[in-house]
Amino acid sequence: LQALGGADMAKGVVPLVRAASNDPASLGYALDAGARGVIMPLIDSRADAQQFVSACLHYPKGTRSWGPIRSDLMPASGQSAEVAVAAA
C-alpha cells in the first residue's frame, strides 16, 4: 500500500486495491493511502454491500474516519513516484 502514495502522481495511473476482507479499518487505510477504488470480492448479501459502502464513505453518508495518514505514505523527499512504485 505504501507505493500507492506516489502511484496516483504518475501520469495515467489510477490506483486500485483488492480488499482481503470487508474490514472498515483496512478499507479506510487503503483509501487513505491513495487508492482511488477498492475491489471487494465475496459480497454475499445486501448487509455486506452496505457495510462495504459505509466503510468507504465519510460521515454523514458513511462511517469512514478522517485519519490523516496519507502524508506518511508518500514517497521520500526527492524520490519520484515511478521509483516509489517500482520499489514496492
Side-chain angles (χ1 to χ4, degrees):
L1 282 177
Q2 291 180 345
L4 289 176
D8 65 337
M9 288 187 274
K11 186 176 181 177
V13 173
V14 179
L16 300 175
V17 297
R18 181 184 184 274
S21 67
N22 198 357
D23 171 49
S26 298
L27 295 169
Y29 183 81
L31 293 166
D32 289 345
R36 296 291 182 244
V38 180
I39 300 166
M40 184 69 240
L42 303 174
I43 296 289
D44 295 322
S45 68
R46 180 183 179 112
D48 287 346
Q50 288 173 328
Q51 178 181 338
F52 170 68
V53 171
S54 180
C56 294
L57 298 174
H58 293 291
Y59 178 84
K61 294 183 179 184
T63 58
R64 182 175 165 203
S65 70
W66 290 93
I69 66 163
R70 174 133 188 179
S71 62
D72 294 336
L73 298 174
M74 296 300 284
S77 179
Q79 185 180 28
S80 71
E82 293 80 11
V83 171
V85 172

